[in-house]
Amino acid sequence: MVRAKYQDVLDLGETLNIQNGDVNEKDGVLQVTGTAATQYDKNLIWDKIKEAGGDNPSDIMADIKVADESIYAKHTVASGETLGKIAKQYYGEPGKYQKIFQANTDILKNPDVIHPGQELIIPNL
């Protein structure tokens, strides 16, 4: 029953390729463990948990670790994206695009010129 309630969380974990994942149910509590690639992926998992169970769910215990804490996320540029749009997605503020540009000066020479397929580092703030 509780597993069905959090099935979207488990599906997201598969989509995000959570490593070393384990799911058990004990005494009506779903116990979930695993390692997310980045903090952003971990946050997505927690957002999905809260979506299903509220801000302080008592029927799930999740221990999600982060494989690479040196960055916030990795992002592959899609057609039509700008650094401002990417900054809004990850930070909620398009004006923080300069942080993304500064973290990627090895592949970006101008913050107004990005190309589909480029893999950008989204730095921790």
Side-chain angles (χ1 to χ4, degrees):
M1 175 89 175
V2 71
R3 187 181 188 108
K5 177 179 176 181
Y6 291 103
Q7 188 60 50
D8 286 348
V9 174
L10 304 178
D11 293 345
L12 179 59
E14 284 188 28
T15 300
L16 296 175
N17 198 24
I18 299 297
Q19 298 296 304
N20 306 315
D22 190 36
V23 179
N24 293 299
E25 189 173 337
K26 182 178 179 186
D27 300 325
V29 176
L30 196 63
Q31 299 172 342
V32 180
T33 60
T35 303
T38 65
Q39 184 63 46
Y40 180 74
D41 290 348
K42 178 179 178 176
N43 291 354
L44 290 176
I45 293 285
W46 276 105
D47 289 346
K48 191 61 80 173
I49 288 171
K50 291 176 185 177
E51 187 179 298
D55 284 341
N56 294 304
S58 59
D59 56 355
I60 187 169
M61 293 185 66
D63 181 12
I64 309 297
K65 297 183 177 10
V66 176
D68 187 353
E69 294 180 340
S70 69
I71 63 171
Y72 185 61
K74 288 185 180 181
H75 180 86
T76 302
V77 176
S79 181
E81 285 187 315
T82 64
L83 287 183
K85 286 181 186 177
I86 295 168
K88 183 170 173 62
Q89 175 184 339
Y90 291 98
Y91 304 134
E93 296 179 40
K96 293 191 175 178
Y97 75 91
Q98 281 289 349
K99 300 289 185 187
I100 298 172
F101 175 69
Q102 291 167 0
N104 292 280
T105 55
D106 57 326
I107 59 171
L108 300 178
K109 303 305 174 215
N110 181 332
D112 295 324
V113 181
I114 61 175
H115 302 285
Q118 287 178 313
E119 188 168 337
L120 304 178
I121 299 297
I122 308 301
N124 290 313
L125 293 183

